[in-house]
Amino acid sequence: MTIMSGHAEHSEHAQGRPAEDRQAADRQAEVWACLQGVTDPELDESVTELNFVSRVDVDPENRVHIEFRLPTYWCAANFSFLMADDMRRAVMALDWVEDITVVLGEHMYADRINAGLAKGLSFQETFGAEADGSLDELRRTFLVKAFQRRQAVLLNHLLGVGHLPATIVELTLAMLDDLPVDNEGGKLVRRYLERRAVVGSPRADALAFVNAEGARLQAADLLAYLSGLRRVGVNAEFNSALCRGLLSVRFDLETPFVPKSKASSKSPDTQHVP
Amino acid sequence: MYKTAKGQEIFVIDGHTHFWDGSPANQKNIHGKQFIECFYAYHSNLSPPAEKWELSKFEKYDAETMFDDLFVTGYDDMAILQPTYLTDFYKNGFNTTERNSAMKKNHPDRFILNGAFDPRDGEKGIEALHALSEKHKLKGVKLYTAEWRGESKGYKLTDKASYKYLEAAQKLGIRNIHVHKGPTIIPLNRDAFDVADIDDVATSFQDLNFIVEHCGLPRLDDFCWIATQETNVYAGLAVALPFIHSRPGYFAHVISELLFWVGPDKILYGSDYGIWTPKWLIDKFMAFEIPADITKETGSVLSLETKTKILGLNAARLYGIDVEAQKKKIRAGGGYAHLPEAVHAPR
């Protein structure tokens, strides 16, 4: 019995393999799929799409082993810890997982972070007196930014396909969910809804579009509001390009840049991605 | 000196240069090795292939190479030397004021020598700042708020100790406070990238100029918001500018946001030498135009006048450089002897 390892695309269901191998491959693919939902909080992009995750193993006892690395040796320890913790939580939610280890490689604080993760300690406990507090506030700050960015992309899309500001601001969450949209729009709606609860009630009859404080948007100010959000998107895009580039140089990856899907190509944020 | 196709002379002050020693011989530990390698990754990732250096050259270049890259091959007329001490990583420090002062001494008309301080050094540090300022007639300092030191995970400009140092700097005639708010050295959980402290001190110290190096990246969004509300907050373009080659679309967005929020009079060119070199950066910058659809969205235009401000006039104002007088000095010293009479057009 071999331990399955490597990327999800390598673990296709090979015909004629023993059943346990197939199961291990399936489980490994499940872990990869699960990790796809974990984002770098700063970039609001999946840790797998960013190429941060370098290895996933599932052994016969259903113990999961994940390795990841970051664009620089100096990437902030709190963000590094946060991502590792999010990966651990996400994968633990799979009902068959017996145990999980997440290991950060080639980082200034790799040893300390890995030791902390192995013992199930919090960031605060891991760094003791050196840490200023929990990561909750930081997590929230970046969830709000992710919300804003996703909202800006969606609003631009809706305006672009002809919805009027006056109609948009009156949409409830239920109405947004039912809005007839194309594939592109559907994806943007789903991404937006994933973060909508960060800022206010996600009840079906609540307004779909509110600002970071949870207040309703005004039709007359919608364009000005959007230009205010624009810099959040520009910032994230820029950081993403930098992080991907640095990672590709550091680990000599063949594909330095994964173009964004055409899903958001109509938004001003991503229009000029080369 | 950059000359346009029509023969207009553009005076260039490079707001961000280093004369470092990151060589293995000077590395104290693994961090020293990783630090220069991280810089090298920035260099490799964002430079055009023809402009890439070997790692050994990158680790330690000599004074002649630097002079040549900035002022002969490159278009810089003057350059500001910004120190980075990193004495925990490098035996003799990485890029100290002392090391930089050798460049200034040999080419006094070409360089502006900046110092540094760290508010955590207490009274002793204030005395050291006095001595440094007296010795080098400092007009500016470079600060690293995210730098770890012993138990400390960095400091904020709003700390009491920082105020004391800023007051001391003001008394010493140091008017330009360059603050590294960009990809950082040793960040832990204190949000090393936070730019909020700039807001506070810029209001409290109206006579000082705060140049936010790397324009707050990775927090450009927060920085733009602060800079728009403070008259004495400036954006240093180092790190953002080289994207003009590899990701011109992103650069267009970033520069148009900066022009929209910060304005053309408060953006400073910087090559971040030796991470990048002025020649290609300025060739690309002079040839660059913000695409029409982004201009439509932000109203930002990168006109020749704006480019002239960003490349030199804004820094000249901050550092009290009389451009015409300085040109005469440089010309008298043979500094423009290499320039062909024929003008060079942007590529």
mmCIF file of all heavy atoms in Angstrom, chain B residues 31-76:
data_model
loop_
_atom_site.group_PDB
_atom_site.id
_atom_site.type_symbol
_atom_site.label_atom_id
_atom_site.label_comp_id
_atom_site.label_asym_id
_atom_site.label_seq_id
_atom_site.Cartn_x
_atom_site.Cartn_y
_atom_site.Cartn_z
ATOM 1 N N HIS B 31 19.400 34.652 7.955
ATOM 2 C CA HIS B 31 18.512 35.773 7.628
ATOM 3 C C HIS B 31 19.171 36.720 6.625
ATOM 4 O O HIS B 31 18.513 37.256 5.737
ATOM 5 C CB HIS B 31 18.119 36.541 8.889
ATOM 6 C CG HIS B 31 17.494 35.674 9.936
ATOM 7 N ND1 HIS B 31 16.625 34.651 9.622
ATOM 8 C CD2 HIS B 31 17.608 35.667 11.282
ATOM 9 C CE1 HIS B 31 16.232 34.055 10.746
ATOM 10 N NE2 HIS B 31 16.817 34.653 11.763
ATOM 11 N N GLY B 32 20.475 36.914 6.792
ATOM 12 C CA GLY B 32 21.208 37.764 5.849
ATOM 13 C C GLY B 32 21.166 37.181 4.447
ATOM 14 O O GLY B 32 20.970 37.892 3.459
ATOM 15 N N LYS B 33 21.318 35.866 4.388
ATOM 16 C CA LYS B 33 21.259 35.182 3.089
ATOM 17 C C LYS B 33 19.861 35.306 2.486
ATOM 18 O O LYS B 33 19.686 35.646 1.317
ATOM 19 C CB LYS B 33 21.622 33.708 3.293
ATOM 20 C CG LYS B 33 21.622 32.866 2.038
ATOM 21 C CD LYS B 33 22.036 31.423 2.390
ATOM 22 C CE LYS B 33 22.213 30.534 1.180
ATOM 23 N NZ LYS B 33 21.059 30.388 0.344
ATOM 24 N N GLN B 34 18.846 35.030 3.309
ATOM 25 C CA GLN B 34 17.469 35.079 2.820
ATOM 26 C C GLN B 34 17.053 36.493 2.433
ATOM 27 O O GLN B 34 16.261 36.685 1.514
ATOM 28 C CB GLN B 34 16.514 34.522 3.886
ATOM 29 C CG GLN B 34 16.623 33.025 4.076
ATOM 30 C CD GLN B 34 15.885 32.237 3.002
ATOM 31 O OE1 GLN B 34 15.219 32.788 2.138
ATOM 32 N NE2 GLN B 34 16.038 30.916 3.037
ATOM 33 N N PHE B 35 17.591 37.465 3.146
ATOM 34 C CA PHE B 35 17.205 38.848 2.862
ATOM 35 C C PHE B 35 17.654 39.273 1.465
ATOM 36 O O PHE B 35 16.859 39.777 0.665
ATOM 37 C CB PHE B 35 17.766 39.799 3.917
ATOM 38 C CG PHE B 35 17.277 41.203 3.733
ATOM 39 C CD1 PHE B 35 16.018 41.572 4.192
ATOM 40 C CD2 PHE B 35 18.046 42.161 3.080
ATOM 41 C CE1 PHE B 35 15.539 42.864 3.998
ATOM 42 C CE2 PHE B 35 17.569 43.445 2.880
ATOM 43 C CZ PHE B 35 16.324 43.801 3.348
ATOM 44 N N ILE B 36 18.910 39.065 1.161
ATOM 45 C CA ILE B 36 19.410 39.483 -0.158
ATOM 46 C C ILE B 36 18.770 38.622 -1.250
ATOM 47 O O ILE B 36 18.491 39.105 -2.352
ATOM 48 C CB ILE B 36 20.960 39.465 -0.221
ATOM 49 C CG1 ILE B 36 21.462 40.160 -1.504
ATOM 50 C CG2 ILE B 36 21.535 38.062 -0.121
ATOM 51 C CD1 ILE B 36 21.313 41.648 -1.525
ATOM 52 N N GLU B 37 18.491 37.365 -0.921
ATOM 53 C CA GLU B 37 17.843 36.511 -1.929
ATOM 54 C C GLU B 37 16.402 36.951 -2.208
ATOM 55 O O GLU B 37 15.911 36.819 -3.326
ATOM 56 C CB GLU B 37 17.906 35.036 -1.500
ATOM 57 C CG GLU B 37 19.292 34.474 -1.742
ATOM 58 C CD GLU B 37 19.459 33.008 -1.367
ATOM 59 O OE1 GLU B 37 18.463 32.383 -0.951
ATOM 60 O OE2 GLU B 37 20.598 32.507 -1.487
ATOM 61 N N CYS B 38 15.779 37.485 -1.192
ATOM 62 C CA CYS B 38 14.418 38.000 -1.391
ATOM 63 C C CYS B 38 14.469 39.238 -2.293
ATOM 64 O O CYS B 38 13.670 39.367 -3.228
ATOM 65 C CB CYS B 38 13.786 38.334 -0.041
ATOM 66 S SG CYS B 38 12.096 38.930 -0.156
ATOM 67 N N PHE B 39 15.433 40.121 -2.042
ATOM 68 C CA PHE B 39 15.625 41.275 -2.930
ATOM 69 C C PHE B 39 15.888 40.797 -4.356
ATOM 70 O O PHE B 39 15.390 41.360 -5.316
ATOM 71 C CB PHE B 39 16.832 42.107 -2.468
ATOM 72 C CG PHE B 39 16.483 43.227 -1.523
ATOM 73 C CD1 PHE B 39 15.352 43.177 -0.723
ATOM 74 C CD2 PHE B 39 17.300 44.345 -1.443
ATOM 75 C CE1 PHE B 39 15.049 44.208 0.146
ATOM 76 C CE2 PHE B 39 16.995 45.385 -0.575
ATOM 77 C CZ PHE B 39 15.876 45.325 0.211
ATOM 78 N N TYR B 40 16.692 39.759 -4.447
ATOM 79 C CA TYR B 40 17.060 39.241 -5.773
ATOM 80 C C TYR B 40 15.830 38.675 -6.499
ATOM 81 O O TYR B 40 15.714 38.776 -7.719
ATOM 82 C CB TYR B 40 18.151 38.182 -5.634
ATOM 83 C CG TYR B 40 18.743 37.738 -6.958
ATOM 84 C CD1 TYR B 40 19.458 38.638 -7.753
ATOM 85 C CD2 TYR B 40 18.582 36.438 -7.424
ATOM 86 C CE1 TYR B 40 20.004 38.251 -8.971
ATOM 87 C CE2 TYR B 40 19.119 36.038 -8.645
ATOM 88 C CZ TYR B 40 19.824 36.943 -9.414
ATOM 89 O OH TYR B 40 20.352 36.568 -10.622
ATOM 90 N N ALA B 41 14.922 38.096 -5.735
ATOM 91 C CA ALA B 41 13.682 37.591 -6.331
ATOM 92 C C ALA B 41 12.846 38.748 -6.883
ATOM 93 O O ALA B 41 12.272 38.646 -7.969
ATOM 94 C CB ALA B 41 12.872 36.792 -5.321
ATOM 95 N N TYR B 42 12.792 39.864 -6.162
ATOM 96 C CA TYR B 42 12.113 41.057 -6.676
ATOM 97 C C TYR B 42 12.774 41.492 -7.977
ATOM 98 O O TYR B 42 12.105 41.806 -8.965
ATOM 99 C CB TYR B 42 12.196 42.210 -5.668
ATOM 100 C CG TYR B 42 11.101 42.210 -4.641
ATOM 101 C CD1 TYR B 42 11.189 41.420 -3.505
ATOM 102 C CD2 TYR B 42 9.980 43.009 -4.791
ATOM 103 C CE1 TYR B 42 10.186 41.426 -2.558
ATOM 104 C CE2 TYR B 42 8.971 43.020 -3.847
ATOM 105 C CZ TYR B 42 9.073 42.229 -2.737
ATOM 106 O OH TYR B 42 8.072 42.233 -1.805
ATOM 107 N N HIS B 43 14.101 41.527 -7.945
ATOM 108 C CA HIS B 43 14.870 41.939 -9.122
ATOM 109 C C HIS B 43 14.587 41.016 -10.305
ATOM 110 O O HIS B 43 14.269 41.471 -11.405
ATOM 111 C CB HIS B 43 16.361 41.925 -8.753
ATOM 112 C CG HIS B 43 17.291 41.982 -9.923
ATOM 113 N ND1 HIS B 43 17.563 43.160 -10.592
ATOM 114 C CD2 HIS B 43 18.020 41.025 -10.538
ATOM 115 C CE1 HIS B 43 18.413 42.905 -11.586
ATOM 116 N NE2 HIS B 43 18.710 41.628 -11.579
ATOM 117 N N SER B 44 14.687 39.716 -10.071
ATOM 118 C CA SER B 44 14.517 38.741 -11.158
ATOM 119 C C SER B 44 13.094 38.741 -11.686
ATOM 120 O O SER B 44 12.861 38.608 -12.881
ATOM 121 C CB SER B 44 14.828 37.324 -10.670
ATOM 122 O OG SER B 44 16.077 37.281 -10.071
ATOM 123 N N ASN B 45 12.161 38.868 -10.791
ATOM 124 C CA ASN B 45 10.756 38.775 -11.165
ATOM 125 C C ASN B 45 10.305 39.954 -12.015
ATOM 126 O O ASN B 45 9.533 39.790 -12.949
ATOM 127 C CB ASN B 45 9.911 38.681 -9.893
ATOM 128 C CG ASN B 45 8.417 38.691 -10.155
ATOM 129 O OD1 ASN B 45 7.961 38.211 -11.176
ATOM 130 N ND2 ASN B 45 7.670 39.257 -9.229
ATOM 131 N N LEU B 46 10.785 41.146 -11.683
ATOM 132 C CA LEU B 46 10.209 42.336 -12.319
ATOM 133 C C LEU B 46 11.110 43.008 -13.351
ATOM 134 O O LEU B 46 10.677 43.937 -14.026
ATOM 135 C CB LEU B 46 9.787 43.341 -11.243
ATOM 136 C CG LEU B 46 8.647 42.864 -10.331
ATOM 137 C CD1 LEU B 46 8.387 43.849 -9.213
ATOM 138 C CD2 LEU B 46 7.362 42.647 -11.115
ATOM 139 N N SER B 47 12.370 42.578 -13.476
ATOM 140 C CA SER B 47 13.251 43.209 -14.470
ATOM 141 C C SER B 47 13.041 42.579 -15.842
ATOM 142 O O SER B 47 12.799 41.377 -15.943
ATOM 143 C CB SER B 47 14.727 43.011 -14.087
ATOM 144 O OG SER B 47 15.021 43.645 -12.873
ATOM 145 N N PRO B 48 13.208 43.369 -16.906
ATOM 146 C CA PRO B 48 13.253 42.750 -18.239
ATOM 147 C C PRO B 48 14.454 41.802 -18.291
ATOM 148 O O PRO B 48 15.468 42.086 -17.647
ATOM 149 C CB PRO B 48 13.477 43.944 -19.180
ATOM 150 C CG PRO B 48 13.148 45.154 -18.383
ATOM 151 C CD PRO B 48 13.382 44.818 -16.949
ATOM 152 N N PRO B 49 14.332 40.696 -19.008
ATOM 153 C CA PRO B 49 15.408 39.690 -19.006
ATOM 154 C C PRO B 49 16.798 40.279 -19.270
ATOM 155 O O PRO B 49 17.777 39.892 -18.615
ATOM 156 C CB PRO B 49 15.002 38.734 -20.123
ATOM 157 C CG PRO B 49 13.521 38.879 -20.221
ATOM 158 C CD PRO B 49 13.192 40.281 -19.843
ATOM 159 N N ALA B 50 16.898 41.208 -20.176
ATOM 160 C CA ALA B 50 18.207 41.768 -20.535
ATOM 161 C C ALA B 50 18.831 42.575 -19.393
ATOM 162 O O ALA B 50 20.023 42.864 -19.401
ATOM 163 C CB ALA B 50 18.076 42.638 -21.776
ATOM 164 N N GLU B 51 18.006 42.953 -18.420
ATOM 165 C CA GLU B 51 18.499 43.788 -17.313
ATOM 166 C C GLU B 51 18.831 42.982 -16.069
ATOM 167 O O GLU B 51 19.144 43.531 -15.023
ATOM 168 C CB GLU B 51 17.447 44.848 -16.951
ATOM 169 C CG GLU B 51 16.994 45.704 -18.111
ATOM 170 C CD GLU B 51 18.104 46.618 -18.639
ATOM 171 O OE1 GLU B 51 19.072 46.876 -17.893
ATOM 172 O OE2 GLU B 51 17.998 47.047 -19.804
ATOM 173 N N LYS B 52 18.713 41.657 -16.168
ATOM 174 C CA LYS B 52 18.972 40.839 -14.977
ATOM 175 C C LYS B 52 20.451 40.697 -14.706
ATOM 176 O O LYS B 52 21.254 40.512 -15.611
ATOM 177 C CB LYS B 52 18.352 39.454 -15.167
ATOM 178 C CG LYS B 52 16.903 39.421 -14.759
ATOM 179 C CD LYS B 52 16.357 38.008 -14.768
ATOM 180 C CE LYS B 52 14.850 38.049 -14.979
ATOM 181 N NZ LYS B 52 14.275 36.744 -15.247
ATOM 182 N N TRP B 53 20.796 40.762 -13.432
ATOM 183 C CA TRP B 53 22.178 40.598 -13.003
ATOM 184 C C TRP B 53 22.403 39.196 -12.475
ATOM 185 O O TRP B 53 21.464 38.517 -12.056
ATOM 186 C CB TRP B 53 22.511 41.563 -11.862
ATOM 187 C CG TRP B 53 22.485 43.002 -12.193
ATOM 188 C CD1 TRP B 53 22.194 43.585 -13.402
ATOM 189 C CD2 TRP B 53 22.725 44.073 -11.277
ATOM 190 N NE1 TRP B 53 22.259 44.943 -13.286
ATOM 191 C CE2 TRP B 53 22.582 45.273 -12.001
ATOM 192 C CE3 TRP B 53 23.052 44.134 -9.917
ATOM 193 C CZ2 TRP B 53 22.763 46.529 -11.398
ATOM 194 C CZ3 TRP B 53 23.236 45.372 -9.326
ATOM 195 C CH2 TRP B 53 23.098 46.559 -10.060
ATOM 196 N N GLU B 54 23.682 38.804 -12.427
ATOM 197 C CA GLU B 54 24.062 37.590 -11.701
ATOM 198 C C GLU B 54 23.895 37.868 -10.212
ATOM 199 O O GLU B 54 24.087 39.005 -9.761
ATOM 200 C CB GLU B 54 25.538 37.263 -11.962
ATOM 201 C CG GLU B 54 25.841 36.804 -13.371
ATOM 202 C CD GLU B 54 25.135 35.505 -13.718
ATOM 203 O OE1 GLU B 54 25.055 34.624 -12.843
ATOM 204 O OE2 GLU B 54 24.632 35.389 -14.853
ATOM 205 N N LEU B 55 23.597 36.819 -9.448
ATOM 206 C CA LEU B 55 23.417 36.996 -8.004
ATOM 207 C C LEU B 55 24.665 37.615 -7.355
ATOM 208 O O LEU B 55 24.566 38.490 -6.496
ATOM 209 C CB LEU B 55 23.067 35.656 -7.328
ATOM 210 C CG LEU B 55 22.905 35.710 -5.805
ATOM 211 C CD1 LEU B 55 21.753 36.634 -5.393
ATOM 212 C CD2 LEU B 55 22.664 34.315 -5.216
ATOM 213 N N SER B 56 25.849 37.171 -7.789
ATOM 214 C CA SER B 56 27.078 37.666 -7.147
ATOM 215 C C SER B 56 27.237 39.177 -7.348
ATOM 216 O O SER B 56 27.642 39.895 -6.430
ATOM 217 C CB SER B 56 28.302 36.926 -7.686
ATOM 218 O OG SER B 56 28.363 37.067 -9.089
ATOM 219 N N LYS B 57 26.858 39.682 -8.510
ATOM 220 C CA LYS B 57 26.923 41.132 -8.736
ATOM 221 C C LYS B 57 25.875 41.840 -7.886
ATOM 222 O O LYS B 57 26.117 42.909 -7.321
ATOM 223 C CB LYS B 57 26.698 41.451 -10.220
ATOM 224 C CG LYS B 57 26.701 42.942 -10.518
ATOM 225 C CD LYS B 57 26.305 43.261 -11.956
ATOM 226 C CE LYS B 57 26.200 44.777 -12.145
ATOM 227 N NZ LYS B 57 25.680 45.144 -13.474
ATOM 228 N N PHE B 58 24.723 41.199 -7.805
ATOM 229 C CA PHE B 58 23.612 41.787 -7.062
ATOM 230 C C PHE B 58 23.943 41.888 -5.569
ATOM 231 O O PHE B 58 23.569 42.843 -4.903
ATOM 232 C CB PHE B 58 22.357 40.939 -7.275
ATOM 233 C CG PHE B 58 21.095 41.560 -6.750
ATOM 234 C CD1 PHE B 58 20.393 42.481 -7.509
ATOM 235 C CD2 PHE B 58 20.599 41.207 -5.503
ATOM 236 C CE1 PHE B 58 19.218 43.055 -7.035
ATOM 237 C CE2 PHE B 58 19.429 41.778 -5.019
ATOM 238 C CZ PHE B 58 18.737 42.698 -5.789
ATOM 239 N N GLU B 59 24.645 40.873 -5.081
ATOM 240 C CA GLU B 59 24.963 40.855 -3.647
ATOM 241 C C GLU B 59 25.855 42.026 -3.242
ATOM 242 O O GLU B 59 25.704 42.600 -2.168
ATOM 243 C CB GLU B 59 25.659 39.534 -3.294
ATOM 244 C CG GLU B 59 24.700 38.355 -3.240
ATOM 245 C CD GLU B 59 25.415 37.017 -3.145
ATOM 246 O OE1 GLU B 59 26.628 36.930 -3.458
ATOM 247 O OE2 GLU B 59 24.752 36.034 -2.760
ATOM 248 N N LYS B 60 26.786 42.358 -4.127
ATOM 249 C CA LYS B 60 27.680 43.472 -3.796
ATOM 250 C C LYS B 60 28.240 44.074 -5.076
ATOM 251 O O LYS B 60 28.982 43.419 -5.793
ATOM 252 C CB LYS B 60 28.831 42.964 -2.915
ATOM 253 C CG LYS B 60 29.719 44.077 -2.390
ATOM 254 C CD LYS B 60 30.861 43.539 -1.555
ATOM 255 C CE LYS B 60 31.656 44.687 -0.958
ATOM 256 N NZ LYS B 60 32.771 44.191 -0.145
ATOM 257 N N TYR B 61 27.808 45.293 -5.371
ATOM 258 C CA TYR B 61 28.317 45.987 -6.557
ATOM 259 C C TYR B 61 29.233 47.100 -6.078
ATOM 260 O O TYR B 61 29.107 47.586 -4.960
ATOM 261 C CB TYR B 61 27.169 46.532 -7.413
ATOM 262 C CG TYR B 61 26.040 47.156 -6.617
ATOM 263 C CD1 TYR B 61 26.093 48.475 -6.187
ATOM 264 C CD2 TYR B 61 24.927 46.398 -6.252
ATOM 265 C CE1 TYR B 61 25.073 49.033 -5.446
ATOM 266 C CE2 TYR B 61 23.900 46.949 -5.501
ATOM 267 C CZ TYR B 61 23.974 48.271 -5.109
ATOM 268 O OH TYR B 61 22.970 48.821 -4.361
ATOM 269 N N ASP B 62 30.151 47.508 -6.970
ATOM 270 C CA ASP B 62 31.083 48.532 -6.507
ATOM 271 C C ASP B 62 30.583 49.941 -6.829
ATOM 272 O O ASP B 62 29.591 50.120 -7.545
ATOM 273 C CB ASP B 62 32.489 48.291 -7.060
ATOM 274 C CG ASP B 62 32.513 48.282 -8.571
ATOM 275 O OD1 ASP B 62 31.695 49.000 -9.193
ATOM 276 O OD2 ASP B 62 33.337 47.538 -9.141
ATOM 277 N N ALA B 63 31.273 50.910 -6.296
ATOM 278 C CA ALA B 63 30.842 52.306 -6.405
ATOM 279 C C ALA B 63 30.795 52.768 -7.856
ATOM 280 O O ALA B 63 29.884 53.506 -8.250
ATOM 281 C CB ALA B 63 31.786 53.195 -5.595
ATOM 282 N N GLU B 64 31.757 52.309 -8.655
ATOM 283 C CA GLU B 64 31.780 52.726 -10.058
ATOM 284 C C GLU B 64 30.574 52.209 -10.821
ATOM 285 O O GLU B 64 29.981 52.914 -11.632
ATOM 286 C CB GLU B 64 33.040 52.160 -10.740
ATOM 287 C CG GLU B 64 34.182 53.138 -10.810
ATOM 288 C CD GLU B 64 35.425 52.464 -11.365
ATOM 289 O OE1 GLU B 64 35.389 52.056 -12.535
ATOM 290 O OE2 GLU B 64 36.397 52.320 -10.601
ATOM 291 N N THR B 65 30.249 50.942 -10.567
ATOM 292 C CA THR B 65 29.072 50.352 -11.219
ATOM 293 C C THR B 65 27.835 51.162 -10.876
ATOM 294 O O THR B 65 27.013 51.479 -11.743
ATOM 295 C CB THR B 65 28.880 48.892 -10.746
ATOM 296 O OG1 THR B 65 30.073 48.173 -11.036
ATOM 297 C CG2 THR B 65 27.697 48.230 -11.420
ATOM 298 N N MET B 66 27.707 51.492 -9.610
ATOM 299 C CA MET B 66 26.526 52.241 -9.180
ATOM 300 C C MET B 66 26.481 53.609 -9.853
ATOM 301 O O MET B 66 25.439 54.017 -10.388
ATOM 302 C CB MET B 66 26.539 52.400 -7.659
ATOM 303 C CG MET B 66 25.373 53.231 -7.137
ATOM 304 S SD MET B 66 25.115 52.979 -5.385
ATOM 305 C CE MET B 66 23.770 54.139 -5.059
ATOM 306 N N PHE B 67 27.607 54.305 -9.854
ATOM 307 C CA PHE B 67 27.648 55.627 -10.463
ATOM 308 C C PHE B 67 27.248 55.534 -11.937
ATOM 309 O O PHE B 67 26.430 56.314 -12.428
ATOM 310 C CB PHE B 67 29.052 56.237 -10.335
ATOM 311 C CG PHE B 67 29.122 57.647 -10.848
ATOM 312 C CD1 PHE B 67 28.833 58.721 -10.024
ATOM 313 C CD2 PHE B 67 29.440 57.901 -12.184
ATOM 314 C CE1 PHE B 67 28.859 60.029 -10.515
ATOM 315 C CE2 PHE B 67 29.461 59.197 -12.681
ATOM 316 C CZ PHE B 67 29.179 60.264 -11.845
ATOM 317 N N ASP B 68 27.832 54.544 -12.589
ATOM 318 C CA ASP B 68 27.564 54.365 -14.012
ATOM 319 C C ASP B 68 26.084 54.041 -14.285
ATOM 320 O O ASP B 68 25.463 54.620 -15.169
ATOM 321 C CB ASP B 68 28.458 53.231 -14.536
ATOM 322 C CG ASP B 68 28.455 53.172 -16.040
ATOM 323 O OD1 ASP B 68 29.148 54.010 -16.655
ATOM 324 O OD2 ASP B 68 27.726 52.325 -16.599
ATOM 325 N N ASP B 69 25.545 53.113 -13.507
ATOM 326 C CA ASP B 69 24.148 52.715 -13.707
ATOM 327 C C ASP B 69 23.182 53.872 -13.470
ATOM 328 O O ASP B 69 22.141 53.970 -14.122
ATOM 329 C CB ASP B 69 23.779 51.560 -12.765
ATOM 330 C CG ASP B 69 24.327 50.215 -13.257
ATOM 331 O OD1 ASP B 69 24.632 50.111 -14.462
ATOM 332 O OD2 ASP B 69 24.445 49.293 -12.438
ATOM 333 N N LEU B 70 23.500 54.727 -12.498
ATOM 334 C CA LEU B 70 22.592 55.824 -12.178
ATOM 335 C C LEU B 70 22.748 56.990 -13.132
ATOM 336 O O LEU B 70 21.771 57.514 -13.665
ATOM 337 C CB LEU B 70 22.833 56.326 -10.744
ATOM 338 C CG LEU B 70 22.590 55.356 -9.592
ATOM 339 C CD1 LEU B 70 22.841 56.077 -8.263
ATOM 340 C CD2 LEU B 70 21.186 54.788 -9.615
ATOM 341 N N PHE B 71 24.013 57.413 -13.353
ATOM 342 C CA PHE B 71 24.232 58.734 -13.963
ATOM 343 C C PHE B 71 24.792 58.707 -15.384
ATOM 344 O O PHE B 71 24.775 59.716 -16.056
ATOM 345 C CB PHE B 71 25.189 59.554 -13.087
ATOM 346 C CG PHE B 71 24.743 59.659 -11.663
ATOM 347 C CD1 PHE B 71 25.506 59.129 -10.626
ATOM 348 C CD2 PHE B 71 23.534 60.280 -11.350
ATOM 349 C CE1 PHE B 71 25.091 59.228 -9.310
ATOM 350 C CE2 PHE B 71 23.117 60.386 -10.037
ATOM 351 C CZ PHE B 71 23.897 59.846 -9.006
ATOM 352 N N VAL B 72 25.359 57.592 -15.788
ATOM 353 C CA VAL B 72 25.945 57.546 -17.131
ATOM 354 C C VAL B 72 25.024 56.747 -18.057
ATOM 355 O O VAL B 72 24.447 57.296 -18.988
ATOM 356 C CB VAL B 72 27.379 56.966 -17.104
ATOM 357 C CG1 VAL B 72 27.986 57.032 -18.500
ATOM 358 C CG2 VAL B 72 28.235 57.735 -16.097
ATOM 359 N N THR B 73 24.857 55.464 -17.732
ATOM 360 C CA THR B 73 23.887 54.662 -18.493
ATOM 361 C C THR B 73 22.470 55.129 -18.164
ATOM 362 O O THR B 73 21.613 55.190 -19.041
ATOM 363 C CB THR B 73 24.003 53.170 -18.123
ATOM 364 O OG1 THR B 73 25.379 52.805 -18.173
ATOM 365 C CG2 THR B 73 23.205 52.309 -19.073
ATOM 366 N N GLY B 74 22.252 55.433 -16.918
ATOM 367 C CA GLY B 74 20.913 55.839 -16.467
ATOM 368 C C GLY B 74 20.715 57.339 -16.594
ATOM 369 O O GLY B 74 21.651 58.082 -16.865
ATOM 370 N N TYR B 75 19.466 57.769 -16.372
ATOM 371 C CA TYR B 75 19.121 59.174 -16.580
ATOM 372 C C TYR B 75 19.129 59.995 -15.291
ATOM 373 O O TYR B 75 18.765 61.163 -15.316
ATOM 374 C CB TYR B 75 17.733 59.277 -17.212
ATOM 375 C CG TYR B 75 17.597 58.537 -18.518
ATOM 376 C CD1 TYR B 75 16.765 57.420 -18.622
ATOM 377 C CD2 TYR B 75 18.301 58.951 -19.648
ATOM 378 C CE1 TYR B 75 16.627 56.746 -19.824
ATOM 379 C CE2 TYR B 75 18.173 58.271 -20.856
ATOM 380 C CZ TYR B 75 17.334 57.161 -20.941
ATOM 381 O OH TYR B 75 17.202 56.497 -22.128
ATOM 382 N N ASP B 76 19.487 59.396 -14.182
ATOM 383 C CA ASP B 76 19.459 60.149 -12.932
ATOM 384 C C ASP B 76 20.426 61.333 -13.007
ATOM 385 O O ASP B 76 21.530 61.215 -13.556
ATOM 386 C CB ASP B 76 19.898 59.256 -11.749
ATOM 387 C CG ASP B 76 18.845 58.207 -11.367
ATOM 388 O OD1 ASP B 76 17.794 58.144 -12.030
ATOM 389 O OD2 ASP B 76 19.097 57.453 -10.399
#
